[in-house]
Amino acid sequence: MLTDEFGRDVTGVRVSLTDRCNFDCVYCHNEGLGDTRGPMDPQDDEMGTDDVVRFLEVAEEFDVDAVKFTGGEPMLRQDLEEIISRTPDSMEVSLTTNGTFLPGRAPDLVDAGLERVNVSQDALDPDDFAAVTKSGAYDKVLEGVDAALEAGLDPVKLNMVVFEHTAGYVPEMVDHVAENEGLQLQLIEYMPELTGKPEWAIDIERVHGWLEEQADEVEHREMHDRKRYWISNGDSGDGSASSSERGRGMVEIVDPVENPTFCANCHRVRVTHEGYLKGCLNRNDDLKPMGEMSKPEIRDAFHDVVDSRVPYYGEYMVKNEDGHWVVNEKYLDDGPDVSTASN
């Protein structure tokens, strides 16, 4: 296992298979890029099937035990099932998707070895959903969630980006996961740097506070020291109905913005669809090419990216005397690009 100079073991990889997406979400920075007609073979700028598998075989050598496939929309890759089936058996395999291609493919993905899935769902009303995603695929997403559950991907975790447009939908989404067995909710803090619209951001601590008030139970998850809120649906009134009878949902918040604790507990390396390794989502100045993706080249790049990993908040970004986050002076010589890449 490789460990960076801040004592963080690299135990997982997040592999982008494409930057193409059939949605045009207003909070995304790569809106609807590329050919999105449907699942197809890898494009010229995307890693081939063998490249992805070769990388995962090297990652296994370093005791990486989990891989999440993402995009863009990873299900625009026709070879996704093959990639999953060829992923080393020692790795837990998960997928982040908008769900539109899960109907019809979910059983094959499970047969190939998929173990967990996150489905993006930002609203429970078709019009609200369309306003956020610029897509009319609301019913197809619901169908995809059902297909995933029927295929055995239980629980299905719903990803919801929380910002000015969606904050008002949080209570009904919490009720939704409490009412529907097999669903969990992951609220993702909006990152203003993706869109250049800081006015859309909300105070995520207020969401934490509201969930704490609603929760029957709060637990801490080791990864990122993240809280889990267990919330029952409805009011028991005189107490005659148990939590299980009313329904109970699990809600987490992913809150990386200005959060040194989150960064200090990051154990993932990312791979762009073009075949670059990167140690931090928030940086583009740490990209490590894997060359022609031979195993020796991949090993060297993996060592390099782990050696150069630093926590973004608390190390790469530090607070100045005015309390503002600024780039740590010792990294300024590298000419950093602090914009966020899609992968």
Side-chain angles (χ1 to χ4, degrees):
M1 183 175 294
L2 297 184
T3 304
D4 65 30
E5 65 175 296
F6 295 86
R8 300 178 301 172
D9 298 330
V10 174
T11 59
V13 290
R14 186 180 179 102
V15 179
S16 173
L17 297 177
T18 182
D19 67 347
R20 296 176 291 120
C21 187
N22 56 321
F23 280 12
D24 193 10
C25 299
V26 297
Y27 53 76
C28 186
H29 52 305
N30 263 353
E31 293 89 345
L33 286 178
D35 192 337
T36 61
R37 290 171 295 176
M40 59 184 70
D41 290 335
Q43 304 298 283
D44 290 343
D45 66 337
E46 297 168 355
M47 289 184 293
T49 311
D50 291 341
D51 295 329
V52 176
V53 173
R54 196 177 305 114
F55 164 75
L56 293 174
E57 289 172 346
V58 171
E60 183 189 34
E61 295 175 11
F62 296 121
D63 296 323
V64 169
D65 60 12
V67 55
K68 181 180 286 291
F69 294 113
T70 183
E73 173 46 56
M75 294 193 71
L76 285 170
R77 289 281 294 256
Q78 187 66 52
D79 59 348
L80 179 59
E81 289 85 349
E82 180 182 354
I83 289 172
I84 292 174
S85 70
R86 293 173 61 188
T87 295
D89 292 340
S90 62
M91 290 186 183
E92 179 189 64
V93 182
S94 59
L95 175 73
T96 295
T97 174
N98 63 35
T100 53
F101 298 106
L102 280 171
R105 288 183 76 179
D108 289 340
L109 290 168
V110 171
D111 287 346
L114 183 64
E115 298 170 72
R116 294 190 297 112
V117 67
N118 291 47
V119 177
S120 298
Q121 186 174 346
D122 293 301
L124 288 169
D125 174 83
D127 292 335
D128 295 336
F129 181 87
V132 173
T133 65
K134 306 302 180 185
S135 164
Y138 177 78
D139 289 337
K140 183 62 71 173
V141 173
L142 296 187
E143 185 182 344
V145 171
D146 288 341
L149 289 170
E150 290 171 5
L153 293 168
D154 184 349
V156 170
K157 189 170 287 188
L158 303 182
N159 284 357
M160 177 184 184
V161 177
V162 182
F163 64 120
E164 185 181 76
H165 294 57
T166 62
Y169 310 151
V170 170
E172 62 181 338
M173 190 67 82
V174 171
D175 284 345
H176 179 65
V177 299
E179 292 167 355
N180 291 276
E181 187 176 356
L183 299 184
Q184 296 180 351
L185 180 61
Q186 185 164 261
L187 302 175
I188 301 173
E189 183 179 15
Y190 168 72
M191 301 177 70
E193 57 266 37
L194 302 188
T195 63
K197 294 184 180 293
E199 66 273 17
W200 286 0
I202 66 165
D203 181 2
I204 201 68
E205 288 304 316
R206 293 182 60 188
V207 183
H208 274 292
W210 181 81
L211 288 171
E212 192 130 12
E213 291 175 356
Q214 310 302 314
D216 304 314
E217 178 186 352
V218 180
E219 62 176 321
H220 282 83
R221 185 180 178 190
E222 182 178 349
M223 187 176 74
H224 303 307
D225 192 30
R226 202 183 286 173
K227 289 183 178 178
R228 281 178 165 167
Y229 301 95
W230 295 90
I231 300 176
S232 297
N233 175 59
D235 187 351
S236 61
D238 59 5
S240 58
S242 69
S243 295
S244 60
E245 289 170 329
R246 296 196 308 274
R248 195 165 184 250
M250 192 280 285
V251 185
E252 283 185 297
I253 296 182
V254 180
D255 50 358
V257 179
E258 299 183 2
N259 186 347
T261 299
F262 187 97
C263 295
N265 288 279
C266 177
H267 299 281
R268 275 183 178 166
V269 160
R270 296 171 181 268
V271 186
T272 75
H273 69 282
E274 301 151 304
Y276 290 88
L277 285 167
K278 65 195 309 269
C280 178
L281 170 64
N282 288 336
R283 296 174 59 186
N284 282 335
D285 61 330
D286 65 344
L287 294 172
K288 305 293 181 184
M290 291 189 280
E292 297 301 315
M293 299 200 70
S294 68
K295 284 193 173 182
E297 289 173 314
I298 296 170
R299 290 187 192 102
D300 289 344
F302 209 101
H303 275 285
D304 287 346
V305 77
V306 174
D307 286 344
S308 64
R309 287 182 86 235
V310 303
Y312 187 70
Y313 289 108
E315 174 60 23
Y316 186 80
M317 300 291 287
V318 294
K319 284 190 175 181
N320 64 15
E321 59 186 17
D322 296 323
H324 298 132
W325 289 98
V326 296
V327 178
N328 190 334
E329 289 185 0
K330 70 181 183 180
Y331 300 109
L332 286 175
D333 291 341
D334 297 331
D337 171 5
V338 297
S339 62
T340 303
S342 63
N343 307 295

